[in-house]
Amino acid sequence: MLFLRSTSSSIAPGIFAVDVAAKPPGKTFGIYIAVDADYPPQDLLGAIEGLGFKKTVVSPYIHNDGRKVIDFHFQKAGTDIFQGWKESEREENLRALQTLFTPLKIELKPRVMTTTEAFS
């Protein structure tokens, strides 16, 4: 679940938070997105799946300020060992994601999770 401080403002219509992160060693990235449960950005969610990412988690909850939120986690298998991404796949996938989010004025900042964060 993404940590939301507040749902009083969104970063784009229906979107509260987006994180693009990889578990160590940082080759294969997932997309973590928290959306407004009442007005989810269906076109964006469908476009992410259109890039080959699969939903692995759909977790609805009520934020402490009372608003309904849905956390989505998406992963995409690669062709490297253990379905990881090769360098070319990483570059291509991250570029495609940024192209998808740019019209929403969301700049993605891919990162590698800490070991604790990744495996808790």
Side-chain angles (χ1 to χ4, degrees):
M1 176 168 46
L2 291 173
F3 176 75
L4 298 178
R5 293 178 189 256
S6 170
T7 60
S8 62
S9 65
S10 58
I11 60 172
I15 303 170
F16 297 118
V18 176
D19 189 18
V20 176
K23 292 181 179 178
K27 291 178 57 175
T28 306
F29 289 78
I31 304 163
Y32 307 89
I33 183 168
V35 304
D36 187 330
D38 293 328
Y39 305 100
Q42 295 297 346
D43 290 345
L44 175 65
L45 299 173
I48 292 169
E49 290 182 305
L51 293 174
F53 287 83
K54 306 289 183 215
K55 284 182 209 161
T56 58
V57 173
V58 178
S59 180
Y61 65 94
I62 296 177
H63 191 267
N64 62 9
D65 63 10
R67 185 169 253 161
K68 296 177 196 168
V69 177
I70 303 173
D71 270 355
F72 288 95
H73 299 189
F74 294 88
Q75 296 291 323
K76 181 177 181 178
T79 60
D80 207 357
I81 190 167
F82 305 118
Q83 297 186 331
W85 293 355
K86 293 182 178 175
E87 182 66 23
S88 60
E89 291 170 312
R90 184 182 68 79
E91 290 173 9
E92 180 183 327
N93 289 325
L94 292 178
R95 185 174 32 254
L97 287 171
Q98 187 58 66
T99 299
L100 185 64
F101 282 91
T102 294
L104 299 171
K105 296 184 176 30
I106 297 174
E107 181 183 350
L108 301 180
K109 296 178 183 171
R111 65 185 184 86
V112 178
M113 296 177 191
T114 65
T115 304
T116 303
E117 183 181 22
F119 300 103
S120 60

